[in-house]
PDB file of all heavy atoms in Angstrom:
ATOM      1  N   ASN L   1    -108.370-147.544 108.664  1.00 98.00           N
ATOM      2  CA  ASN L   1    -106.946-147.626 108.999  1.00 98.00           C
ATOM      3  C   ASN L   1    -106.180-146.462 108.390  1.00 98.00           C
ATOM      4  O   ASN L   1    -105.277-145.898 109.009  1.00 98.00           O
ATOM      5  CB  ASN L   1    -106.347-148.936 108.485  1.00 98.00           C
ATOM      6  CG  ASN L   1    -106.811-150.151 109.238  1.00 98.00           C
ATOM      7  OD1 ASN L   1    -106.797-151.257 108.697  1.00 98.00           O
ATOM      8  ND2 ASN L   1    -107.229-149.989 110.480  1.00 98.00           N
ATOM      9  N   CYS L   2    -106.550-146.101 107.165  1.00 98.00           N
ATOM     10  CA  CYS L   2    -105.888-144.987 106.483  1.00 98.00           C
ATOM     11  C   CYS L   2    -106.215-143.658 107.164  1.00 98.00           C
ATOM     12  O   CYS L   2    -105.311-142.843 107.417  1.00 98.00           O
ATOM     13  CB  CYS L   2    -106.313-144.940 105.021  1.00 98.00           C
ATOM     14  SG  CYS L   2    -105.892-146.417 104.071  1.00 98.00           S
ATOM     15  N   ILE L   3    -107.483-143.440 107.444  1.00 98.00           N
ATOM     16  CA  ILE L   3    -107.891-142.186 108.093  1.00 98.00           C
ATOM     17  C   ILE L   3    -107.290-142.087 109.492  1.00 98.00           C
ATOM     18  O   ILE L   3    -106.861-141.008 109.927  1.00 98.00           O
ATOM     19  CB  ILE L   3    -109.428-142.081 108.160  1.00 98.00           C
ATOM     20  CG1 ILE L   3    -110.015-142.003 106.752  1.00 98.00           C
ATOM     21  CG2 ILE L   3    -109.846-140.885 108.996  1.00 98.00           C
ATOM     22  CD1 ILE L   3    -109.571-140.789 105.954  1.00 98.00           C
ATOM     23  N   GLU L   4    -107.234-143.208 110.175  1.00 98.00           N
ATOM     24  CA  GLU L   4    -106.624-143.218 111.510  1.00 98.00           C
ATOM     25  C   GLU L   4    -105.164-142.799 111.424  1.00 98.00           C
ATOM     26  O   GLU L   4    -104.673-142.036 112.258  1.00 98.00           O
ATOM     27  CB  GLU L   4    -106.735-144.606 112.120  1.00 98.00           C
ATOM     28  CG  GLU L   4    -106.173-144.699 113.540  1.00 98.00           C
ATOM     29  CD  GLU L   4    -106.316-146.086 114.126  1.00 98.00           C
ATOM     30  OE1 GLU L   4    -106.275-147.072 113.348  1.00 98.00           O
ATOM     31  OE2 GLU L   4    -106.464-146.195 115.350  1.00 98.00           O
ATOM     32  N   GLN L   5    -104.451-143.285 110.396  1.00 98.00           N
ATOM     33  CA  GLN L   5    -103.060-142.900 110.200  1.00 98.00           C
ATOM     34  C   GLN L   5    -102.940-141.412 109.913  1.00 98.00           C
ATOM     35  O   GLN L   5    -102.031-140.742 110.410  1.00 98.00           O
ATOM     36  CB  GLN L   5    -102.450-143.696 109.054  1.00 98.00           C
ATOM     37  CG  GLN L   5    -101.028-143.305 108.699  1.00 98.00           C
ATOM     38  CD  GLN L   5    -100.058-143.527 109.835  1.00 98.00           C
ATOM     39  OE1 GLN L   5     -99.665-144.655 110.111  1.00 98.00           O
ATOM     40  NE2 GLN L   5     -99.656-142.455 110.513  1.00 98.00           N
ATOM     41  N   VAL L   6    -103.858-140.884 109.117  1.00 98.00           N
ATOM     42  CA  VAL L   6    -103.853-139.452 108.808  1.00 98.00           C
ATOM     43  C   VAL L   6    -104.021-138.637 110.085  1.00 98.00           C
ATOM     44  O   VAL L   6    -103.278-137.675 110.335  1.00 98.00           O
ATOM     45  CB  VAL L   6    -104.968-139.107 107.803  1.00 98.00           C
ATOM     46  CG1 VAL L   6    -105.057-137.591 107.613  1.00 98.00           C
ATOM     47  CG2 VAL L   6    -104.722-139.797 106.466  1.00 98.00           C
ATOM     48  N   ILE L   7    -104.976-139.017 110.902  1.00 98.00           N
ATOM     49  CA  ILE L   7    -105.223-138.285 112.151  1.00 98.00           C
ATOM     50  C   ILE L   7    -104.054-138.443 113.110  1.00 98.00           C
ATOM     51  O   ILE L   7    -103.617-137.465 113.741  1.00 98.00           O
ATOM     52  CB  ILE L   7    -106.536-138.757 112.810  1.00 98.00           C
ATOM     53  CG1 ILE L   7    -107.723-138.446 111.902  1.00 98.00           C
ATOM     54  CG2 ILE L   7    -106.720-138.078 114.172  1.00 98.00           C
ATOM     55  CD1 ILE L   7    -109.045-138.993 112.404  1.00 98.00           C
ATOM     56  N   ASP L   8    -103.518-139.654 113.217  1.00 98.00           N
ATOM     57  CA  ASP L   8    -102.372-139.882 114.104  1.00 98.00           C
ATOM     58  C   ASP L   8    -101.186-139.016 113.694  1.00 98.00           C
ATOM     59  O   ASP L   8    -100.456-138.491 114.541  1.00 98.00           O
ATOM     60  CB  ASP L   8    -101.964-141.354 114.089  1.00 98.00           C
ATOM     61  CG  ASP L   8    -102.908-142.236 114.900  1.00 98.00           C
ATOM     62  OD1 ASP L   8    -103.702-141.676 115.683  1.00 98.00           O
ATOM     63  OD2 ASP L   8    -102.847-143.474 114.731  1.00 98.00           O
ATOM     64  N   GLY L   9    -100.992-138.869 112.378  1.00 98.00           N
ATOM     65  CA  GLY L   9     -99.912-138.015 111.904  1.00 98.00           C
ATOM     66  C   GLY L   9    -100.108-136.573 112.329  1.00 98.00           C
ATOM     67  O   GLY L   9     -99.146-135.875 112.691  1.00 98.00           O
ATOM     68  N   CYS L  10    -101.354-136.121 112.306  1.00 98.00           N
ATOM     69  CA  CYS L  10    -101.663-134.755 112.742  1.00 98.00           C
ATOM     70  C   CYS L  10    -101.452-134.597 114.239  1.00 98.00           C
ATOM     71  O   CYS L  10    -100.949-133.560 114.703  1.00 98.00           O
ATOM     72  CB  CYS L  10    -103.109-134.409 112.370  1.00 98.00           C
ATOM     73  SG  CYS L  10    -103.436-134.318 110.599  1.00 98.00           S
ATOM     74  N   VAL L  11    -101.826-135.610 114.988  1.00 98.00           N
ATOM     75  CA  VAL L  11    -101.624-135.589 116.438  1.00 98.00           C
ATOM     76  C   VAL L  11    -100.133-135.505 116.761  1.00 98.00           C
ATOM     77  O   VAL L  11     -99.705-134.711 117.606  1.00 98.00           O
ATOM     78  CB  VAL L  11    -102.235-136.848 117.097  1.00 98.00           C
ATOM     79  CG1 VAL L  11    -101.827-136.949 118.569  1.00 98.00           C
ATOM     80  CG2 VAL L  11    -103.753-136.827 116.968  1.00 98.00           C
ATOM     81  N   GLU L  12     -99.352-136.318 116.074  1.00 98.00           N
ATOM     82  CA  GLU L  12     -97.918-136.380 116.355  1.00 98.00           C
ATOM     83  C   GLU L  12     -97.204-135.063 116.065  1.00 98.00           C
ATOM     84  O   GLU L  12     -96.368-134.617 116.851  1.00 98.00           O
ATOM     85  CB  GLU L  12     -97.294-137.515 115.548  1.00 98.00           C
ATOM     86  CG  GLU L  12     -97.689-138.899 116.050  1.00 98.00           C
ATOM     87  CD  GLU L  12     -97.324-140.009 115.083  1.00 98.00           C
ATOM     88  OE1 GLU L  12     -96.630-139.709 114.079  1.00 98.00           O
ATOM     89  OE2 GLU L  12     -97.722-141.163 115.322  1.00 98.00           O
ATOM     90  N   ILE L  13     -97.538-134.434 114.953  1.00 98.00           N
ATOM     91  CA  ILE L  13     -96.824-133.196 114.627  1.00 98.00           C
ATOM     92  C   ILE L  13     -97.300-132.044 115.509  1.00 98.00           C
ATOM     93  O   ILE L  13     -96.509-131.157 115.856  1.00 98.00           O
ATOM     94  CB  ILE L  13     -96.947-132.836 113.131  1.00 98.00           C
ATOM     95  CG1 ILE L  13     -95.986-131.691 112.793  1.00 98.00           C
ATOM     96  CG2 ILE L  13     -98.378-132.484 112.760  1.00 98.00           C
ATOM     97  CD1 ILE L  13     -94.535-131.974 113.077  1.00 98.00           C
ATOM     98  N   SER L  14     -98.565-132.040 115.914  1.00 98.00           N
ATOM     99  CA  SER L  14     -99.015-130.989 116.836  1.00 98.00           C
ATOM    100  C   SER L  14     -98.304-131.134 118.176  1.00 98.00           C
ATOM    101  O   SER L  14     -97.915-130.139 118.798  1.00 98.00           O
ATOM    102  CB  SER L  14    -100.533-131.042 117.024  1.00 98.00           C
ATOM    103  OG  SER L  14    -100.956-132.299 117.518  1.00 98.00           O
ATOM    104  N   ASN L  15     -98.088-132.374 118.596  1.00 98.00           N
ATOM    105  CA  ASN L  15     -97.340-132.623 119.827  1.00 98.00           C
ATOM    106  C   ASN L  15     -95.882-132.209 119.670  1.00 98.00           C
ATOM    107  O   ASN L  15     -95.303-131.567 120.563  1.00 98.00           O
ATOM    108  CB  ASN L  15     -97.428-134.107 120.191  1.00 98.00           C
ATOM    109  CG  ASN L  15     -96.521-134.490 121.351  1.00 98.00           C
ATOM    110  OD1 ASN L  15     -95.349-134.797 121.164  1.00 98.00           O
ATOM    111  ND2 ASN L  15     -97.060-134.463 122.564  1.00 98.00           N
ATOM    112  N   GLU L  16     -95.295-132.556 118.537  1.00 97.00           N
ATOM    113  CA  GLU L  16     -93.883-132.237 118.312  1.00 97.00           C
ATOM    114  C   GLU L  16     -93.640-130.731 118.274  1.00 97.00           C
ATOM    115  O   GLU L  16     -92.662-130.233 118.839  1.00 97.00           O
ATOM    116  CB  GLU L  16     -93.389-132.876 117.017  1.00 97.00           C
ATOM    117  CG  GLU L  16     -91.914-132.633 116.758  1.00 97.00           C
ATOM    118  CD  GLU L  16     -91.418-133.285 115.490  1.00 97.00           C
ATOM    119  OE1 GLU L  16     -92.117-134.173 114.958  1.00 97.00           O
ATOM    120  OE2 GLU L  16     -90.328-132.910 115.032  1.00 97.00           O
ATOM    121  N   VAL L  17     -94.526-130.008 117.606  1.00 98.00           N
ATOM    122  CA  VAL L  17     -94.360-128.550 117.535  1.00 98.00           C
ATOM    123  C   VAL L  17     -94.464-127.938 118.928  1.00 98.00           C
ATOM    124  O   VAL L  17     -93.638-127.111 119.324  1.00 98.00           O
ATOM    125  CB  VAL L  17     -95.398-127.919 116.588  1.00 98.00           C
ATOM    126  CG1 VAL L  17     -95.321-126.395 116.663  1.00 98.00           C
ATOM    127  CG2 VAL L  17     -95.161-128.382 115.157  1.00 98.00           C
ATOM    128  N   GLY L  18     -95.494-128.344 119.672  1.00 98.00           N
ATOM    129  CA  GLY L  18     -95.701-127.758 120.991  1.00 98.00           C
ATOM    130  C   GLY L  18     -94.680-128.177 122.027  1.00 98.00           C
ATOM    131  O   GLY L  18     -94.083-127.341 122.708  1.00 98.00           O
ATOM    132  N   GLU L  19     -94.449-129.485 122.146  1.00 97.00           N
ATOM    133  CA  GLU L  19     -93.588-129.994 123.207  1.00 97.00           C
ATOM    134  C   GLU L  19     -92.098-129.947 122.863  1.00 97.00           C
ATOM    135  O   GLU L  19     -91.260-129.724 123.735  1.00 97.00           O
ATOM    136  CB  GLU L  19     -93.975-131.437 123.561  1.00 97.00           C
ATOM    137  CG  GLU L  19     -95.274-131.559 124.335  1.00 97.00           C
ATOM    138  CD  GLU L  19     -95.414-132.923 124.994  1.00 97.00           C
ATOM    139  OE1 GLU L  19     -94.454-133.708 124.951  1.00 97.00           O
ATOM    140  OE2 GLU L  19     -96.495-133.188 125.551  1.00 97.00           O
ATOM    141  N   THR L  20     -91.769-130.181 121.598  1.00 95.00           N
ATOM    142  CA  THR L  20     -90.363-130.307 121.232  1.00 95.00           C
ATOM    143  C   THR L  20     -89.817-129.071 120.520  1.00 95.00           C
ATOM    144  O   THR L  20     -88.866-128.441 120.984  1.00 95.00           O
ATOM    145  CB  THR L  20     -90.147-131.547 120.341  1.00 95.00           C
ATOM    146  OG1 THR L  20     -90.635-132.707 121.033  1.00 95.00           O
ATOM    147  CG2 THR L  20     -88.677-131.725 120.017  1.00 95.00           C
ATOM    148  N   LYS L  21     -90.420-128.715 119.404  1.00 95.00           N
ATOM    149  CA  LYS L  21     -89.858-127.629 118.601  1.00 95.00           C
ATOM    150  C   LYS L  21     -89.912-126.288 119.325  1.00 95.00           C
ATOM    151  O   LYS L  21     -88.986-125.487 119.229  1.00 95.00           O
ATOM    152  CB  LYS L  21     -90.587-127.542 117.257  1.00 95.00           C
ATOM    153  CG  LYS L  21     -90.368-128.768 116.380  1.00 95.00           C
ATOM    154  CD  LYS L  21     -90.848-128.525 114.966  1.00 95.00           C
ATOM    155  CE  LYS L  21     -90.559-129.717 114.069  1.00 95.00           C
ATOM    156  NZ  LYS L  21     -90.810-129.440 112.642  1.00 95.00           N
ATOM    157  N   ILE L  22     -91.006-126.042 120.041  1.00 98.00           N
ATOM    158  CA  ILE L  22     -91.125-124.799 120.812  1.00 98.00           C
ATOM    159  C   ILE L  22     -90.844-125.062 122.288  1.00 98.00           C
ATOM    160  O   ILE L  22     -90.116-124.316 122.941  1.00 98.00           O
ATOM    161  CB  ILE L  22     -92.520-124.171 120.642  1.00 98.00           C
ATOM    162  CG1 ILE L  22     -92.805-123.900 119.159  1.00 98.00           C
ATOM    163  CG2 ILE L  22     -92.635-122.880 121.448  1.00 98.00           C
ATOM    164  CD1 ILE L  22     -94.196-123.357 118.881  1.00 98.00           C
ATOM    165  N   GLY L  23     -91.415-126.139 122.812  1.00 98.00           N
ATOM    166  CA  GLY L  23     -91.320-126.425 124.233  1.00 98.00           C
ATOM    167  C   GLY L  23     -89.928-126.774 124.722  1.00 98.00           C
ATOM    168  O   GLY L  23     -89.522-126.357 125.815  1.00 98.00           O
ATOM    169  N   ASP L  24     -89.169-127.524 123.924  1.00 96.00           N
ATOM    170  CA  ASP L  24     -87.826-127.921 124.355  1.00 96.00           C
ATOM    171  C   ASP L  24     -86.897-126.714 124.517  1.00 96.00           C
ATOM    172  O   ASP L  24     -86.240-126.568 125.560  1.00 96.00           O
ATOM    173  CB  ASP L  24     -87.247-128.937 123.376  1.00 96.00           C
ATOM    174  CG  ASP L  24     -85.965-129.576 123.891  1.00 96.00           C
ATOM    175  OD1 ASP L  24     -85.883-129.839 125.102  1.00 96.00           O
ATOM    176  OD2 ASP L  24     -85.051-129.813 123.084  1.00 96.00           O
ATOM    177  N   PRO L  25     -86.817-125.814 123.528  1.00 95.00           N
ATOM    178  CA  PRO L  25     -86.002-124.609 123.739  1.00 95.00           C
ATOM    179  C   PRO L  25     -86.486-123.784 124.923  1.00 95.00           C
ATOM    180  O   PRO L  25     -85.664-123.251 125.695  1.00 95.00           O
ATOM    181  CB  PRO L  25     -86.172-123.835 122.421  1.00 95.00           C
ATOM    182  CG  PRO L  25     -86.514-124.865 121.416  1.00 95.00           C
ATOM    183  CD  PRO L  25     -87.348-125.874 122.157  1.00 95.00           C
ATOM    184  N   TYR L  26     -87.803-123.696 125.081  1.00 98.00           N
ATOM    185  CA  TYR L  26     -88.362-122.914 126.190  1.00 98.00           C
ATOM    186  C   TYR L  26     -87.941-123.509 127.541  1.00 98.00           C
ATOM    187  O   TYR L  26     -87.483-122.780 128.433  1.00 98.00           O
ATOM    188  CB  TYR L  26     -89.883-122.872 126.094  1.00 98.00           C
ATOM    189  CG  TYR L  26     -90.552-122.205 127.274  1.00 98.00           C
ATOM    190  CD1 TYR L  26     -90.600-120.817 127.382  1.00 98.00           C
ATOM    191  CD2 TYR L  26     -91.113-122.967 128.297  1.00 98.00           C
ATOM    192  CE1 TYR L  26     -91.195-120.201 128.475  1.00 98.00           C
ATOM    193  CE2 TYR L  26     -91.720-122.360 129.392  1.00 98.00           C
ATOM    194  CZ  TYR L  26     -91.756-120.978 129.478  1.00 98.00           C
ATOM    195  OH  TYR L  26     -92.350-120.372 130.575  1.00 98.00           O
ATOM    196  N   ASN L  27     -88.092-124.813 127.681  1.00 97.00           N
ATOM    197  CA  ASN L  27     -87.741-125.461 128.943  1.00 97.00           C
ATOM    198  C   ASN L  27     -86.250-125.346 129.243  1.00 97.00           C
ATOM    199  O   ASN L  27     -85.853-125.121 130.386  1.00 97.00           O
ATOM    200  CB  ASN L  27     -88.160-126.933 128.922  1.00 97.00           C
ATOM    201  CG  ASN L  27     -89.663-127.110 128.938  1.00 97.00           C
ATOM    202  OD1 ASN L  27     -90.389-126.270 129.481  1.00 97.00           O
ATOM    203  ND2 ASN L  27     -90.150-128.185 128.341  1.00 97.00           N
ATOM    204  N   LYS L  28     -85.428-125.495 128.222  1.00 96.00           N
ATOM    205  CA  LYS L  28     -83.977-125.357 128.422  1.00 96.00           C
ATOM    206  C   LYS L  28     -83.631-123.922 128.815  1.00 96.00           C
ATOM    207  O   LYS L  28     -82.793-123.687 129.693  1.00 96.00           O
ATOM    208  CB  LYS L  28     -83.233-125.749 127.145  1.00 96.00           C
ATOM    209  CG  LYS L  28     -83.153-127.249 126.891  1.00 96.00           C
ATOM    210  CD  LYS L  28     -82.385-127.542 125.615  1.00 96.00           C
ATOM    211  CE  LYS L  28     -82.018-129.019 125.496  1.00 96.00           C
ATOM    212  NZ  LYS L  28     -83.161-129.911 125.464  1.00 96.00           N
ATOM    213  N   TYR L  29     -84.270-122.971 128.165  1.00 97.00           N
ATOM    214  CA  TYR L  29     -84.004-121.565 128.465  1.00 97.00           C
ATOM    215  C   TYR L  29     -84.412-121.241 129.903  1.00 97.00           C
ATOM    216  O   TYR L  29     -83.671-120.574 130.630  1.00 97.00           O
ATOM    217  CB  TYR L  29     -84.763-120.672 127.494  1.00 97.00           C
ATOM    218  CG  TYR L  29     -84.338-119.223 127.542  1.00 97.00           C
ATOM    219  CD1 TYR L  29     -83.402-118.729 126.642  1.00 97.00           C
ATOM    220  CD2 TYR L  29     -84.866-118.350 128.493  1.00 97.00           C
ATOM    221  CE1 TYR L  29     -82.997-117.400 126.681  1.00 97.00           C
ATOM    222  CE2 TYR L  29     -84.473-117.023 128.553  1.00 97.00           C
ATOM    223  CZ  TYR L  29     -83.541-116.554 127.637  1.00 97.00           C
ATOM    224  OH  TYR L  29     -83.140-115.239 127.700  1.00 97.00           O
ATOM    225  N   MET L  30     -85.565-121.714 130.312  1.00 97.00           N
ATOM    226  CA  MET L  30     -86.050-121.429 131.663  1.00 97.00           C
ATOM    227  C   MET L  30     -85.210-122.120 132.727  1.00 97.00           C
ATOM    228  O   MET L  30     -85.222-121.721 133.891  1.00 97.00           O
ATOM    229  CB  MET L  30     -87.519-121.848 131.792  1.00 97.00           C
ATOM    230  CG  MET L  30     -88.461-121.092 130.866  1.00 97.00           C
ATOM    231  SD  MET L  30     -88.345-119.285 130.993  1.00 97.00           S
ATOM    232  CE  MET L  30     -89.010-119.016 132.643  1.00 97.00           C
TER     233      MET L  30
END
């Protein structure tokens, strides 16, 4: 359960960086 949480946290931030932090400004700009 602990390791799963660790991995899920990594999944979530990789998604946030790509889709939101970088992707959201990009999509709005385009």
